[in-house]
Short mmCIF file of all heavy atoms in Angstrom, two decimals:
data_model
loop_
_atom_site.label_atom_id
_atom_site.label_comp_id
_atom_site.label_asym_id
_atom_site.label_seq_id
_atom_site.Cartn_x
_atom_site.Cartn_y
_atom_site.Cartn_z
N ARG A 86 -176.90 -61.19 -99.34
CA ARG A 86 -176.06 -60.31 -100.14
C ARG A 86 -176.89 -59.33 -100.97
O ARG A 86 -177.75 -59.75 -101.70
CB ARG A 86 -175.13 -61.17 -101.04
CG ARG A 86 -174.31 -60.34 -101.91
CD ARG A 86 -173.40 -61.27 -102.85
NE ARG A 86 -172.40 -61.93 -101.91
CZ ARG A 86 -171.56 -62.82 -102.41
NH1 ARG A 86 -171.58 -63.17 -103.60
NH2 ARG A 86 -170.64 -63.41 -101.58
N ASP A 87 -176.63 -58.07 -100.82
CA ASP A 87 -177.34 -57.02 -101.61
C ASP A 87 -178.85 -57.22 -101.35
O ASP A 87 -179.67 -57.05 -102.26
CB ASP A 87 -177.13 -57.13 -103.05
CG ASP A 87 -175.59 -56.86 -103.34
OD1 ASP A 87 -174.99 -56.02 -102.58
OD2 ASP A 87 -175.05 -57.33 -104.27
N GLY A 88 -179.25 -57.51 -100.07
CA GLY A 88 -180.66 -57.58 -99.78
C GLY A 88 -181.39 -58.96 -100.11
O GLY A 88 -182.52 -59.03 -99.88
N ALA A 89 -180.59 -59.92 -100.67
CA ALA A 89 -181.12 -61.11 -101.10
C ALA A 89 -180.45 -62.25 -100.54
O ALA A 89 -179.26 -62.22 -100.33
CB ALA A 89 -181.31 -61.21 -102.68
N ILE A 90 -181.12 -63.31 -100.19
CA ILE A 90 -180.54 -64.59 -99.68
C ILE A 90 -179.81 -65.29 -100.73
O ILE A 90 -180.34 -65.39 -101.84
CB ILE A 90 -181.61 -65.54 -99.14
CG1 ILE A 90 -182.17 -64.85 -97.89
CG2 ILE A 90 -180.94 -66.85 -98.82
CD1 ILE A 90 -183.23 -65.73 -97.26
N GLU A 91 -178.51 -65.61 -100.56
CA GLU A 91 -177.74 -66.30 -101.56
C GLU A 91 -178.31 -67.64 -101.76
O GLU A 91 -178.70 -68.35 -100.89
CB GLU A 91 -176.33 -66.42 -101.02
CG GLU A 91 -175.54 -65.10 -100.89
CD GLU A 91 -174.11 -65.34 -100.38
OE1 GLU A 91 -173.65 -66.39 -100.58
OE2 GLU A 91 -173.58 -64.41 -99.85
N GLU A 92 -178.40 -68.01 -103.08
CA GLU A 92 -179.14 -69.19 -103.51
C GLU A 92 -178.55 -70.42 -102.93
O GLU A 92 -179.27 -71.36 -102.52
CB GLU A 92 -179.11 -69.36 -105.00
CG GLU A 92 -180.20 -68.64 -105.68
CD GLU A 92 -181.59 -68.93 -105.23
OE1 GLU A 92 -181.92 -70.04 -105.27
OE2 GLU A 92 -182.28 -68.04 -104.77
N GLU A 93 -177.25 -70.60 -102.75
CA GLU A 93 -176.63 -71.85 -102.23
C GLU A 93 -175.82 -71.46 -100.95
O GLU A 93 -174.82 -72.05 -100.72
CB GLU A 93 -175.70 -72.42 -103.30
CG GLU A 93 -176.44 -73.24 -104.32
CD GLU A 93 -177.16 -74.36 -103.81
OE1 GLU A 93 -176.83 -74.97 -102.76
OE2 GLU A 93 -178.27 -74.68 -104.30
N ALA A 94 -176.20 -70.48 -100.19
CA ALA A 94 -175.41 -70.11 -99.05
C ALA A 94 -175.76 -70.95 -97.91
O ALA A 94 -176.91 -71.52 -97.60
CB ALA A 94 -175.87 -68.61 -98.61
N GLY A 95 -174.77 -71.27 -97.15
CA GLY A 95 -174.96 -71.91 -95.79
C GLY A 95 -175.73 -73.29 -95.85
O GLY A 95 -175.14 -74.33 -96.03
N ILE A 96 -176.96 -73.22 -95.67
CA ILE A 96 -177.73 -74.53 -95.40
C ILE A 96 -178.91 -74.68 -96.38
O ILE A 96 -179.82 -75.30 -96.18
CB ILE A 96 -178.33 -74.50 -94.02
CG1 ILE A 96 -179.35 -73.29 -93.87
CG2 ILE A 96 -177.29 -74.46 -92.95
CD1 ILE A 96 -180.27 -73.57 -92.77
N ILE A 97 -178.62 -74.12 -97.64
CA ILE A 97 -179.72 -74.27 -98.60
C ILE A 97 -180.08 -75.69 -98.98
O ILE A 97 -179.17 -76.50 -99.02
CB ILE A 97 -179.33 -73.47 -99.99
CG1 ILE A 97 -180.58 -73.16 -100.79
CG2 ILE A 97 -178.21 -74.12 -100.72
CD1 ILE A 97 -181.50 -72.26 -100.23
N GLN A 98 -181.28 -75.93 -99.32
CA GLN A 98 -181.70 -77.32 -99.67
C GLN A 98 -182.89 -77.11 -100.61
O GLN A 98 -183.44 -76.00 -100.79
CB GLN A 98 -182.12 -78.22 -98.47
CG GLN A 98 -183.45 -77.78 -97.84
CD GLN A 98 -183.43 -76.51 -97.09
OE1 GLN A 98 -182.60 -76.27 -96.33
NE2 GLN A 98 -184.40 -75.76 -97.29
N ALA A 99 -183.34 -78.10 -101.22
CA ALA A 99 -184.59 -78.20 -102.09
C ALA A 99 -185.70 -78.30 -101.14
O ALA A 99 -185.64 -78.69 -99.98
CB ALA A 99 -184.48 -79.17 -103.14
N ASP A 100 -186.87 -77.84 -101.53
CA ASP A 100 -188.08 -77.96 -100.82
C ASP A 100 -188.64 -79.47 -100.95
O ASP A 100 -188.57 -79.99 -102.04
CB ASP A 100 -189.19 -76.95 -101.28
CG ASP A 100 -188.58 -75.62 -101.04
OD1 ASP A 100 -188.25 -75.31 -99.88
OD2 ASP A 100 -188.79 -74.73 -101.92
N LEU A 101 -189.15 -79.97 -99.93
CA LEU A 101 -189.86 -81.25 -99.99
C LEU A 101 -191.20 -81.02 -100.71
O LEU A 101 -192.01 -80.20 -100.36
CB LEU A 101 -190.17 -81.76 -98.59
CG LEU A 101 -190.75 -83.16 -98.47
CD1 LEU A 101 -189.78 -84.15 -99.04
CD2 LEU A 101 -191.06 -83.39 -96.93
N PRO A 102 -191.38 -81.63 -101.87
CA PRO A 102 -192.57 -81.48 -102.66
C PRO A 102 -193.81 -81.76 -101.93
O PRO A 102 -194.00 -82.80 -101.38
CB PRO A 102 -192.48 -82.42 -103.86
CG PRO A 102 -190.99 -82.60 -103.86
CD PRO A 102 -190.40 -82.61 -102.50
N MET A 103 -194.71 -80.71 -101.80
CA MET A 103 -195.96 -80.89 -101.09
C MET A 103 -196.91 -81.76 -101.78
O MET A 103 -197.85 -82.43 -101.13
CB MET A 103 -196.64 -79.56 -100.77
CG MET A 103 -195.84 -78.68 -99.87
SD MET A 103 -195.78 -79.33 -98.13
CE MET A 103 -197.49 -79.15 -97.68
N ASP A 104 -196.75 -81.95 -103.11
CA ASP A 104 -197.64 -82.66 -103.88
C ASP A 104 -197.19 -84.10 -104.26
O ASP A 104 -197.71 -84.76 -105.08
CB ASP A 104 -198.04 -81.90 -105.17
CG ASP A 104 -196.83 -81.68 -106.04
OD1 ASP A 104 -195.79 -81.80 -105.50
OD2 ASP A 104 -197.04 -81.31 -107.15
N LYS A 105 -196.06 -84.51 -103.56
CA LYS A 105 -195.56 -85.74 -103.81
C LYS A 105 -195.22 -86.54 -102.56
O LYS A 105 -194.52 -86.14 -101.71
CB LYS A 105 -194.25 -85.56 -104.72
CG LYS A 105 -193.75 -86.95 -105.38
CD LYS A 105 -192.70 -86.68 -106.41
CE LYS A 105 -192.42 -87.89 -107.11
NZ LYS A 105 -191.49 -87.75 -108.28
N ASP A 106 -195.72 -87.78 -102.48
CA ASP A 106 -195.55 -88.62 -101.31
C ASP A 106 -194.08 -89.10 -101.25
O ASP A 106 -193.48 -89.39 -102.34
CB ASP A 106 -196.46 -89.84 -101.48
CG ASP A 106 -196.47 -90.74 -100.26
OD1 ASP A 106 -195.47 -90.82 -99.55
OD2 ASP A 106 -197.55 -91.26 -99.92
N ILE A 107 -193.47 -89.07 -100.17
CA ILE A 107 -192.11 -89.43 -99.95
C ILE A 107 -191.88 -90.79 -100.48
O ILE A 107 -190.84 -91.08 -101.08
CB ILE A 107 -191.66 -89.33 -98.40
CG1 ILE A 107 -191.50 -87.94 -97.98
CG2 ILE A 107 -190.33 -90.14 -98.20
CD1 ILE A 107 -191.33 -87.75 -96.52
N ASP A 108 -192.82 -91.67 -100.41
CA ASP A 108 -192.71 -93.02 -100.85
C ASP A 108 -192.62 -93.17 -102.34
O ASP A 108 -192.33 -94.21 -102.90
CB ASP A 108 -193.85 -93.93 -100.36
CG ASP A 108 -193.83 -94.19 -98.84
OD1 ASP A 108 -192.63 -94.21 -98.34
OD2 ASP A 108 -194.80 -94.48 -98.13
N ARG A 109 -192.91 -92.06 -103.03
CA ARG A 109 -192.92 -92.02 -104.48
C ARG A 109 -191.60 -91.44 -105.06
O ARG A 109 -191.43 -91.31 -106.28
CB ARG A 109 -194.13 -91.40 -105.10
CG ARG A 109 -195.43 -92.08 -104.78
CD ARG A 109 -196.67 -91.38 -105.40
NE ARG A 109 -197.92 -92.07 -105.09
CZ ARG A 109 -198.39 -92.96 -105.91
NH1 ARG A 109 -197.74 -93.32 -107.02
NH2 ARG A 109 -199.59 -93.53 -105.65
N MET A 110 -190.85 -90.85 -104.15
CA MET A 110 -189.62 -90.22 -104.50
C MET A 110 -188.44 -91.09 -104.63
O MET A 110 -188.25 -92.07 -103.96
CB MET A 110 -189.26 -89.11 -103.48
CG MET A 110 -190.28 -87.99 -103.34
SD MET A 110 -190.06 -86.90 -102.00
CE MET A 110 -188.59 -86.06 -102.50
N ASN A 111 -187.64 -90.94 -105.77
CA ASN A 111 -186.51 -91.77 -106.00
C ASN A 111 -185.23 -91.20 -105.19
O ASN A 111 -185.31 -90.19 -104.53
CB ASN A 111 -186.20 -91.97 -107.50
CG ASN A 111 -185.87 -90.60 -108.17
OD1 ASN A 111 -185.36 -89.71 -107.59
ND2 ASN A 111 -186.41 -90.49 -109.39
N VAL A 112 -184.12 -91.99 -105.29
CA VAL A 112 -182.91 -91.52 -104.66
C VAL A 112 -182.52 -90.13 -104.98
O VAL A 112 -182.16 -89.30 -104.09
CB VAL A 112 -181.71 -92.49 -104.88
CG1 VAL A 112 -180.46 -91.96 -104.41
CG2 VAL A 112 -181.99 -93.85 -104.40
N ASP A 113 -182.49 -89.74 -106.22
CA ASP A 113 -182.06 -88.36 -106.53
C ASP A 113 -183.03 -87.25 -106.01
O ASP A 113 -182.56 -86.26 -105.60
CB ASP A 113 -182.01 -88.17 -108.18
CG ASP A 113 -180.80 -88.73 -108.74
OD1 ASP A 113 -179.80 -89.17 -107.97
OD2 ASP A 113 -180.61 -88.73 -109.96
N GLU A 114 -184.31 -87.55 -106.04
CA GLU A 114 -185.26 -86.58 -105.51
C GLU A 114 -185.06 -86.47 -104.00
O GLU A 114 -185.17 -85.31 -103.40
CB GLU A 114 -186.69 -87.02 -105.89
CG GLU A 114 -187.00 -86.89 -107.31
CD GLU A 114 -188.37 -87.56 -107.69
OE1 GLU A 114 -188.72 -88.60 -107.06
OE2 GLU A 114 -188.95 -87.09 -108.56
N LEU A 115 -184.80 -87.59 -103.32
CA LEU A 115 -184.64 -87.52 -101.82
C LEU A 115 -183.34 -86.87 -101.51
O LEU A 115 -183.31 -86.03 -100.59
CB LEU A 115 -184.71 -89.03 -101.31
CG LEU A 115 -185.95 -89.70 -101.48
CD1 LEU A 115 -185.73 -91.21 -101.30
CD2 LEU A 115 -186.92 -89.25 -100.43
N LEU A 116 -182.40 -87.08 -102.25
CA LEU A 116 -181.11 -86.39 -101.94
C LEU A 116 -181.15 -84.97 -102.21
O LEU A 116 -180.38 -84.13 -101.66
CB LEU A 116 -179.93 -87.06 -102.80
CG LEU A 116 -179.42 -88.37 -102.31
CD1 LEU A 116 -178.38 -89.01 -103.25
CD2 LEU A 116 -178.71 -88.27 -100.89
N LEU A 117 -181.84 -84.52 -103.30
CA LEU A 117 -182.02 -83.18 -103.62
C LEU A 117 -182.68 -82.40 -102.49
O LEU A 117 -182.22 -81.27 -102.24
CB LEU A 117 -182.99 -82.95 -104.95
CG LEU A 117 -183.09 -81.60 -105.44
CD1 LEU A 117 -181.80 -80.96 -105.89
CD2 LEU A 117 -184.21 -81.58 -106.56
N VAL A 118 -183.48 -82.97 -101.78
CA VAL A 118 -184.12 -82.28 -100.65
C VAL A 118 -183.06 -82.04 -99.53
O VAL A 118 -183.04 -80.95 -98.90
CB VAL A 118 -185.32 -83.17 -100.05
CG1 VAL A 118 -185.80 -82.49 -98.70
CG2 VAL A 118 -186.41 -83.23 -101.02
N LEU A 119 -182.15 -83.07 -99.35
CA LEU A 119 -181.21 -83.00 -98.27
C LEU A 119 -179.91 -82.23 -98.71
O LEU A 119 -179.18 -81.78 -97.82
CB LEU A 119 -180.75 -84.35 -97.80
CG LEU A 119 -181.90 -85.19 -97.09
CD1 LEU A 119 -181.62 -86.63 -97.10
CD2 LEU A 119 -182.13 -84.59 -95.71
N LEU A 120 -179.71 -82.08 -100.03
CA LEU A 120 -178.48 -81.46 -100.47
C LEU A 120 -178.60 -80.11 -101.18
O LEU A 120 -177.77 -79.19 -101.03
CB LEU A 120 -177.72 -82.47 -101.42
CG LEU A 120 -177.05 -83.62 -100.78
CD1 LEU A 120 -176.79 -84.66 -101.92
CD2 LEU A 120 -175.78 -83.20 -100.15
N GLY A 121 -179.71 -80.03 -101.86
CA GLY A 121 -179.80 -78.86 -102.77
C GLY A 121 -179.06 -79.15 -104.12
O GLY A 121 -178.25 -80.10 -104.14
N ARG A 122 -179.41 -78.31 -105.07
CA ARG A 122 -178.88 -78.81 -106.48
C ARG A 122 -177.41 -78.73 -106.56
O ARG A 122 -176.81 -79.68 -107.16
CB ARG A 122 -179.53 -77.84 -107.57
CG ARG A 122 -179.27 -78.25 -108.91
CD ARG A 122 -180.04 -77.33 -109.95
NE ARG A 122 -181.52 -77.72 -109.79
CZ ARG A 122 -182.38 -76.96 -109.24
NH1 ARG A 122 -181.98 -75.81 -108.68
NH2 ARG A 122 -183.64 -77.33 -109.11
#
Side-chain angles (χ1 to χ4, degrees):
R86 176 177 294 176
D87 297 329
I90 292 178
E91 294 181 23
E92 278 302 306
E93 284 293 334
I96 61 160
I97 196 72
Q98 76 286 315
D100 297 311
L101 186 62
M103 291 294 292
D104 59 347
K105 192 163 189 177
D106 191 324
I107 288 176
D108 287 331
R109 295 179 180 272
M110 296 171 69
N111 60 35
V112 170
D113 278 357
E114 291 171 325
L115 293 162
L116 282 174
L117 182 62
V118 174
L119 291 163
L120 284 163
R122 187 170 292 105

